[in-house]
Structures are given as C-alpha cells and as structure tokens.
C-alpha cells in the first residue's frame, strides 16, 4: 500500500492496556465456573498460536466499546493470546457521517443528512488513510475485530491481505425502517468482506444477513475495574465531595481507588457542575442519576423533565445527569449540541425544580479516575435511571445492577435482556414522561422495594453479565473460525 491518498495525517494508534489476571475471577464465580474459564482459555491460546488478534475501534475512552476493550484485552493477554487494540483517526466530517450511520442503525434520522456517494467516498478515503498504519502491523492469518460502523470500511483490504475479518456491531434496533435500510445499504459492501458478525442481541441481526455467520455476544462488566470495584463508603462520599457534588468538600484525606494496572489512584480533579454556583447536595438526600454520553437517544432532557414535573412537592430527591466532559469524546460530533439542549432544559425549569437538578460533566483526562467517579456516583445513587429511547445494550444498566441498585430503565434494546423480572423496573414507553416521573416518585417512597430489587439485580448480573461469560463466547467464535 502506498501513501497516495488524500489524508496521510490519519493513522491508527495502539492503546496499551494493563494485563489482568484471570485468576481474579475465581473467588467471585466459584471453582467450577473458573475451571471452565481456564480450560477454554488454554485451548483458545493453543488454537491461536502464532496469530495476533487485533481490535480496531474509533475511540479509546467514553462509551461502551472503549469501556469493554479496556478490560477484555487485558484478560485475554493473560490467557497467553497476543491481542492488541488500535484506535483509528478521522476528521469531523467522517465522524458526522459515522454518527449518522450510528443513528440510523438505531432507526433514527439523526441529523437527517445524506448517506450518498459523496459520504461513501469520504468514508473510504479516511479508511484508506488509516489502513496504511494498520497494514504495516497485520499479518496473513491474524484475526481482526472491526468494531462498529467507523472501522468496517477496512474489511476489504484486510481480507485481501489474508486476515480473518470479523465485524462487531454494538448498536442495533429490532426490526427495520427506512433509516436502518439506508445505514445497511451504506455498510453492506464492506460487510461482504467479513467472515463473521457479532451482535449484542439476536434481534439486531438484519434479515438479509447469513445467520450461520452470526454470533450473539452480549457485553459484560468487569467487577474489578475502577468502574465496578468495591468502594468503601468513606471513599464514595470523599469522591463526590472532591468532584464538587456533595457538600463538605475541602481539606481531608483524598478518596482512593485501585487503577487498572493495580496501582493506587487518588481523586484529584473536579467535575463541572451546572447550575453554576448552586449549593452542593446533602449526602443524606436521595439521589437519582443517569450516566450517559450526551446523545439524544439517551434522552437526558426527558429524564430531567419527567423528574422535575413529578418529584417536586412529592419526594425530597435530587437528580444528577452525568456524562463525559463535552470536549473529550472525539468520535461524537453531536454531544456539544445535546449538552446545550440539557442546559436550556435546566434553565427553563421553575426555580424549585431547578435546585434539585445537577448537570455533571466528568473530566476524562484520566480514564481510571473518571471510572472511579462514575463508580462512586452509581454507589451513592438511591435509584439509577437509563431512560434511553433506543439502546444497543446499555452497560450503565448492568453497572448499576452490579452495585445492587434499583434501576428504572426503558424497555428497549439490550436493556430488556438485562432487567429480568423482579430485578428492576422497565418503562414500557420511554416517551411517557408522566409515567416515568410517577414510577420514580413511587419507588423512592419504598426503601424495601429498592433494596429487594437491588439485591436481585446484583445476583442476576453475577450469573449472566460478568466478564468470564463474555470471554467464553469469544472463545466459541474463535473455535468456529479457526477450526
Ligand atoms: N461512561 C463513563 N463516563 C462518563 C459517561 C459514561 O465512563 O462520563 C461510561 C458508562 O459508565 C458506560 C459507558 O460509558 O460504561 C456507556 O456505555 P453504554 O453501553 O451504556 O452506552 P453507549 O455509550 O455505548 O451507547
């Protein structure tokens, strides 16, 4: 491959992830389940001898894909498998196009822009630019996992070079509409070069796809990551004081956590919190949170409005809408706009509701610290909401359930797979804001129900969505491909 293409400045960068010992799982999942994990890990390592498994994604931080790769890559390395993670680069136009595809795979118009020949040409140019640095690394016989629409355009060149190409799609929608059709039309020529496809849910597989090449692998959480590790109550409170959410901050011992590489970390940075100058919250006041990227399909403004109209005068609770600092998620051009919509919605609230709502953006410079902040927020919350309008999977739901929290979430996409009967509350119609507000207000008056839902939720996640299950499903796919 030559560098004769219009964007020589874009190339991939490798993300180094600390190795995580698989043995950490043993006390949590028990001897039998752990034994199976070790057996399959050894077999897979043997099958992949001499080969490298490459992951290609569009961002190293922010969002569910980065969250999972940060830990899975580390565990797979411990299984003696040469697995690497590369993050591609692109210009704003490219990310507008891929965000459009992302929205349409969810069945939504997004910015309603074109997905025609011009967009296809630009997409291909950015792929060609990144491919130069990818091709210098990948060897024939290597496995390449292309994550999401942003990277699938590299499939043809990689397959031609003798790599085994798999596409992993982290988004989706049950059934098709004109928007999903358009997104698939754009992606199909690239998908034709993949040998296998991974979806989070069976319902997301498009009807024209060869089912025999599809593997369903739901995402998982890592119980030991800074996002989900156990935290002393004192550290939870100290973290939330330090970031500026709870009152009583200032001098005193800093909050601590364990980084992914096992070294100790301290919470040093503050969050940016609106309304500016608003008083920090009383640590004893009930807190409802939704943690999401600033994406319209997460419906942060709907959460704010539903909360504000139902809670005031009924329950003495607060709401925190939490997301990454808007300057830091590079693959999503819509986030600043969506955040601005939340600010307007906050400003439009009557004063008594406004003082109960906080818009919190968390610093992303240090992703372990960011994860520990999310961990503390989820642990401090009385109820965790995920009122997405559509949702590929919704890792924040499993994260909340793992922390034994009562979750109120939309009955859409992967959320319905996670919230089994009796482990949380599903909202049949996420656009019904009065119903959402009532459900939340009612639940907040029932501490026993909150505790019961939370206990069942944690057990359900342990049985179904802890990382060892994910690794076993990957191993099955590799066995199918290699044998
Ligand atoms: N997240 C985070 N920091 C933030 C906001 C979100 O680490 O400020 C994480 C969140 O905890 C979750 C992931 O980003 O692990 C979002 O994944 P999810 O599947 O819920 O949604 P996606 O972003 O993939 O649509």
């Amino acid at each position: 491959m030559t560098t004769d293409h219009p964007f020589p400045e874009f190339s991939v960068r490798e993300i180094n992830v600390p190795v995580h010992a698989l043995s950490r799982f043993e006390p949590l999942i028990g001897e039998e389940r752990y034994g199976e994990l070790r057996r399959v890990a050894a077999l897979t390592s043997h099958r992949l001898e001499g080969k490298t498994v490459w992951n290609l994604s569009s961002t190293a931080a922010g969002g569910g894909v980065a969250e999972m790769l940060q830990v899975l890559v580390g565990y797979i390395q411990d299984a003696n498998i040469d697995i690497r993670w590369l993050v591609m680069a692109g210009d704003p136009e490219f990310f507008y196009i891929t965000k459009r595809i992302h929205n349409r795979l969810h069945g939504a118009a997004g910015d309603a822009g074109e997905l025609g020949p011009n967009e296809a040409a630009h997409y291909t140019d950015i792929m060609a630019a990144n491919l130069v640095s990818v091709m210098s690394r990948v060897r024939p016989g290597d496995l390449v996992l292309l994550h999401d629409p942003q990277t699938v355009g590299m499939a043809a060149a990689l397959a031609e070079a003798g790599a085994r190409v798999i596409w992993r799609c982290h988004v989706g929608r049950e059934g098709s509409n004109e928007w999903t059709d358009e997104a698939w039309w754009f992606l199909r020529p690239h998908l034709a070069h993949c040998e296998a496809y991974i979806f989070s849910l069976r319902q997301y597989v498009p009807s024209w796809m060869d089912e025999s090449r599809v593997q369903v692998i739901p995402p998982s959480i890592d119980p030991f990551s800074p996002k989900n590790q156990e935290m002393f109550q004192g550290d939870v409170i100290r973290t939330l004081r330090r970031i500026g959410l709870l009152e009583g901050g200032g001098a005193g011992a800093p909050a601590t956590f364990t980084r992914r590489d096992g070294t100790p970390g301290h919470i040093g940075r503050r969050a940016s919190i609106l309304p500016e100058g608003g008083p920090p919250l009383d640590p004893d006041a009930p807190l409802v949170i939704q943690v999401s990227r600033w994406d319209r399909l997460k419906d942060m403004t709907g959460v704010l409005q539903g909360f504000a109209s139902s809670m005031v005068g009924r329950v003495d609770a607060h709401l925190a809408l939490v997301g990454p600092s808007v300057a830091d998620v590079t693959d999503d051009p819509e986030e600043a706009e969506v955040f601005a919509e939340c600010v307007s919605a906050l400003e439009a609230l009557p004063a008594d509701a406004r003082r109960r709502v906080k818009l919190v953006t968390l610093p992303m410079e240090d992703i372990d610290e960011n994860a520990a902040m999310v961990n503390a927020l989820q642990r401090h919350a009385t109820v965790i909401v995920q009122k997405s309008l559509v949702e590929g999977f919704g890792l924040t739901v499993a994260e909340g359930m793992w922390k034994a929290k009562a979750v109120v979430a939309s009955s859409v996409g992967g959320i319905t797979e996670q919230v089994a009967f009796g482990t949380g509350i599903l909202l049949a119609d996420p656009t019904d804001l009065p119903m959402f507000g009532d459900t939340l207000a009612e639940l907040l008056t029932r501490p026993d129900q909150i505790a019961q839902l939370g206990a069942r939720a944690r057990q359900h996640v342990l049985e179904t969505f802890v990382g060892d299950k994910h690794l076993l499903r990957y191993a099955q796919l590799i066995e199918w491909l290699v044998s």
Side-chain angles (χ1 to χ4, degrees):
M1 164 128 346
T2 70
T3 50
D4 183 23
H5 57 75
F7 297 103
E9 69 274 32
F10 295 127
S11 63
V12 293
R13 68 196 159 98
E14 180 151 5
I15 307 298
N16 290 312
V17 171
V19 178
H20 300 309
L22 284 170
S23 58
R24 293 204 288 193
F25 281 110
E26 188 171 10
L28 198 65
I29 62 179
E31 210 176 305
E32 197 179 320
R33 202 164 130 183
Y34 178 65
E36 173 67 359
L37 178 65
R38 287 253 66 128
R39 188 188 67 75
V40 173
L43 197 70
T44 311
S45 158
H46 177 67
R47 287 201 190 290
L48 289 175
E49 219 170 314
K51 298 180 172 65
T52 301
V53 179
W54 299 92
N55 286 276
L56 262 150
S57 76
S58 61
T59 179
V65 179
E67 181 71 24
M68 262 190 308
L69 287 175
Q70 288 290 349
V71 291
L72 285 182
V73 168
Y75 284 122
I76 297 174
Q77 281 170 350
D78 188 51
N80 265 329
I81 293 169
D82 184 22
I83 181 163
R84 315 279 186 90
W85 178 13
L86 305 174
V87 169
M88 59 157 299
D91 61 359
E93 189 185 342
F94 172 81
F95 289 117
Y96 268 107
I97 295 168
T98 55
K99 180 75 189 192
R100 209 170 281 157
I101 302 170
H102 171 99
N103 280 324
R104 289 182 197 180
L105 285 178
H106 277 305
D111 67 356
E114 294 274 311
L115 275 184
N118 291 340
E119 288 71 26
H122 188 70
Y123 177 88
T124 308
D125 284 345
I126 297 290
M127 292 292 116
N130 281 278
L131 269 166
V132 177
S133 47
V134 173
M135 296 301 245
S136 65
R137 293 169 160 94
V138 176
R139 292 158 305 165
D142 283 355
L143 266 62
V144 183
L145 279 149
L146 298 174
H147 292 269
D148 278 337
Q150 291 94 326
T151 60
V152 72
M154 295 188 224
L158 285 162
E160 197 181 325
R164 319 281 310 265
V165 186
I166 302 153
W167 185 53
R168 180 153 190 186
C169 181
H170 297 269
V171 295
R173 170 201 151 101
E174 279 177 57
S176 59
N177 67 11
E178 60 176 306
W179 302 115
T180 56
D181 288 348
E182 203 183 346
W184 289 124
W185 173 86
F186 190 98
L187 297 174
R188 268 180 90 159
H190 304 292
L191 293 172
H193 301 278
C194 302
E195 286 186 61
Y197 310 95
I198 306 175
F199 286 86
S200 300
L201 252 66
R202 172 79 44 201
Q203 297 91 296
Y204 294 167
V205 182
S207 55
W208 47 263
M209 193 171 265
D210 178 357
E211 284 252 5
S212 69
R213 294 176 178 276
V214 172
Q215 175 101 356
V216 174
I217 306 185
S220 60
I221 59 137
D222 180 36
F224 312 102
S225 66
K227 176 75 53 75
N228 297 309
Q229 65 194 208
E230 294 304 325
M231 233 182 179
F232 291 117
Q233 177 61 9
D235 280 317
V236 169
I237 299 294
R238 278 194 291 275
T239 300
L240 300 186
R241 282 184 173 147
R242 178 73 208 167
I243 67 171
L245 185 69
L246 294 187
E247 63 192 16
T256 57
F257 61 94
T258 305
R259 293 184 174 281
R260 281 166 307 144
D261 64 6
T263 60
H266 302 284
I267 303 286
R269 294 182 173 82
R270 290 178 71 80
S272 155
I273 301 180
L274 294 178
E276 244 168 80
L281 303 180
D282 171 359
D284 293 327
L287 179 68
V288 175
I289 65 164
Q290 174 162 302
V291 179
S292 288
R293 289 176 299 104
W294 304 101
D295 180 320
R296 237 167 244 119
L297 297 177
K298 307 286 183 183
D299 201 22
M300 291 286 224
T301 50
V303 176
L304 181 149
Q305 283 152 354
F307 176 91
S309 60
S310 311
M311 210 63 56
V312 178
R314 265 172 93 179
V315 187
D316 187 22
H318 293 263
L319 169 71
L321 296 176
V322 182
S325 147
V326 280
D328 290 324
V329 180
T330 50
D331 69 341
D332 186 350
E334 281 172 18
E335 51 163 9
E337 245 170 76
V338 174
F339 182 69
E341 287 163 16
C342 292
V343 176
S344 305
L346 175 69
E347 283 165 358
L349 291 179
D352 54 350
R354 194 164 59 237
R355 68 180 187 79
R356 295 186 170 278
V357 178
K358 303 276 185 200
L359 291 188
V360 181
T361 55
L362 299 177
M364 297 287 287
E365 289 91 341
D366 174 342
I367 57 165
D368 287 345
E369 184 194 44
N370 172 278
M373 290 173 183
V374 173
N375 192 348
L377 280 156
Q378 289 169 331
R379 287 186 190 277
H380 184 66
T382 316
V383 172
I384 292 181
V385 168
Q386 191 59 54
K387 209 190 70 58
S388 308
L389 301 175
V390 290
E391 188 59 79
F393 185 72
L395 266 180
T396 48
V397 172
E399 289 165 5
M401 292 171 76
W402 175 248
K403 286 149 196 144
K405 294 295 164 178
V407 168
V408 174
S410 310
S411 181
V412 295
I415 295 175
T416 51
E417 294 284 300
Q418 297 178 70
V419 182
F421 182 74
T423 65
I425 297 182
L426 286 175
L427 302 162
D429 176 3
T431 62
D432 186 343
L433 298 184
M435 174 59 89
F436 160 63
D438 277 350
T439 305
L440 195 57
E442 183 74 28
L443 181 63
L444 283 165
T445 61
R446 300 183 176 191
D448 290 354
Q449 192 188 357
I450 289 178
Q452 211 174 58
L453 288 172
R456 291 200 208 112
R458 179 170 165 105
Q459 187 57 29
H460 180 58
V461 170
L462 175 62
E463 281 160 17
T464 325
F465 297 112
V466 164
D468 64 314
K469 298 278 175 185
H470 202 141
L471 295 169
L472 291 177
R473 290 183 178 115
Y474 257 133
Q476 267 172 13
L477 174 76
I478 287 167
E479 156 121 37
W480 175 81
L481 263 182
V482 176
S483 62

